[in-house]
Amino acid sequence: MLTEKTFATGNMAIQYAEGPPGGSPLLMLHGITLRWQNFLSVLTLFSLRYHTYALDLRGHGHSSRATDAYRIEHYAEDVVQFLRTQVPEPAELMGHSLGAEISIRVAAAAPELTRAVILEEPGLYFFPEGRFPQHSLYQILTTLYTLLSRAPSKAEIIATLQTLLPEGDEVGFLDWATSLHQLDPDTIAHLLDGRIFAQSHVDELLPKIMAPVLLIQGNQELESILVQADVERARSLLTHCRVIRRPDIGHNLHDVHPLAFYQTVTSFLESLP
């Protein structure tokens, strides 16, 4: 059973869900515009073997909003404080997209708190090197930012998602609309204008990660943001890195193929000494 709780950092209230005790701690960090419930498809599976935690990042879900404080280091500071005070031993970090970027910074800044790192489709060089505006995700987030800036109803958000993603499903639209309705639009603004990465340099961070890393890459033809050149560059900088390529998914394996994701991650973690 999952229990929702609130963690106070001092100036922020971070909402999170915690699974039953048992097994090593596994901390899940979601992507931008989402909330901890984005991991519901895999949380039950992982809770059978691990002590799971899933956070609402600042500005997302029921966590506090901030004023001009949505850079990677701000998110990472919240996570490091959470690990230091709420998790009794070094944890496995599992991040998707933005959550993966945060995991990189946490593992680099606090290696003593990190046992392993699972990076599901991190941007790595996608944003800093200017590829973002050419990706379909840019137009989607630009449209959503404009919409959310005028505080729309959930019904308006769903209608916009239906227009943006005509092949989507109603259940997915409802879930994402709920996340967007709770979101601080400034989180998207920080990504669109690049402020989120202002003080984050991936090439400096990756060599500082001592924990084993699992890097999960999707298919560019299905909207993956992780290109092969970036994977090779990251692998050359990481001390311990295993790469899994999935040609059948784009940017979100854990939600599209939860059982395959669970098996991939569990096999990696169980192989560690």
Side-chain angles (χ1 to χ4, degrees):
M1 178 181 293
L2 294 169
T3 304
E4 283 201 78
K5 302 179 180 181
T6 303
F7 164 67
T9 67
N11 60 351
M12 301 290 296
I14 302 298
Q15 188 84 357
Y16 69 99
E18 181 178 354
S24 58
L26 174 64
L27 178 64
M28 303 180 182
L29 303 175
H30 61 76
I32 196 163
T33 78
L34 303 174
R35 55 194 175 131
W36 75 257
Q37 286 89 343
N38 181 249
F39 285 110
L40 279 174
S41 60
V42 293
L43 261 169
T44 302
L45 291 169
F46 281 111
S47 293
L48 296 174
R49 304 176 73 118
Y50 304 97
H51 187 166
T52 55
Y53 303 84
L55 271 60
D56 279 342
L57 300 174
R58 58 166 61 200
H60 297 71
H62 290 298
S63 290
S64 298
R65 297 187 174 195
T67 301
D68 192 28
Y70 293 118
R71 295 193 298 275
I72 291 293
E73 64 266 24
H74 294 132
Y75 292 115
E77 286 166 4
D78 295 338
V79 175
V80 168
Q81 193 169 349
F82 180 85
L83 289 171
R84 289 196 193 283
T85 61
Q86 305 300 309
V87 182
E89 59 183 289
E92 285 104 8
L93 304 182
M94 188 171 81
H96 171 236
S97 197
L98 172 62
E101 298 285 341
I102 296 165
S103 297
I104 289 170
R105 189 167 191 97
V106 171
E112 75 281 5
L113 303 177
T114 310
R115 180 174 179 266
V117 188
I118 299 97
L119 304 176
E120 181 189 2
E121 277 280 306
L124 295 178
Y125 310 100
F126 176 76
F127 299 99
E129 295 193 351
R131 293 177 231 150
F132 182 31
Q134 283 72 52
H135 196 277
S136 61
L137 185 61
Y138 182 84
Q139 187 55 55
I140 290 171
L141 290 176
T142 298
T143 300
L144 290 176
Y145 173 69
T146 301
L147 174 69
L148 297 178
S149 296
R150 57 181 181 82
S153 67
K154 194 179 293 186
E156 289 179 281
I157 297 173
I158 291 174
T160 300
L161 293 176
Q162 290 171 331
T163 301
L164 289 171
L165 303 164
E167 296 183 0
D169 65 88
E170 294 303 314
V171 174
F173 287 148
L174 179 58
D175 180 61
W176 196 9
T178 301
S179 297
L180 290 166
H181 200 247
Q182 297 171 354
L183 183 73
D184 183 351
D186 199 31
T187 59
I188 301 179
H190 273 63
L191 181 62
L192 292 174
D193 65 17
R195 276 178 291 165
I196 191 170
F197 297 110
Q199 299 177 26
S200 184
H201 305 287
V202 175
D203 283 349
E204 296 176 7
L205 297 173
L206 293 179
K208 297 178 181 178
I209 298 176
M210 295 296 103
V213 174
L214 175 64
L215 183 57
I216 303 175
Q217 176 190 15
N219 187 338
Q220 273 189 275
E221 294 181 1
L222 298 176
E223 304 300 318
S224 164
I225 66 172
L226 188 56
V227 302
Q228 187 59 31
D230 293 352
V231 171
E232 297 305 326
R233 183 172 168 183
R235 183 152 55 180
S236 72
L237 294 168
L238 287 162
T239 303
H240 308 285
C241 180
R242 187 180 305 173
V243 178
I244 296 292
R245 299 179 181 87
R246 291 298 305 255
D248 55 336
I249 59 107
H251 188 53
N252 189 348
L253 173 60
H254 77 265
D255 212 23
V256 176
H257 296 302
L259 182 57
F261 180 81
Y262 167 75
Q263 292 171 335
T264 296
V265 172
T266 301
S267 296
F268 167 71
L269 293 177
E270 294 300 315
S271 71
L272 301 179

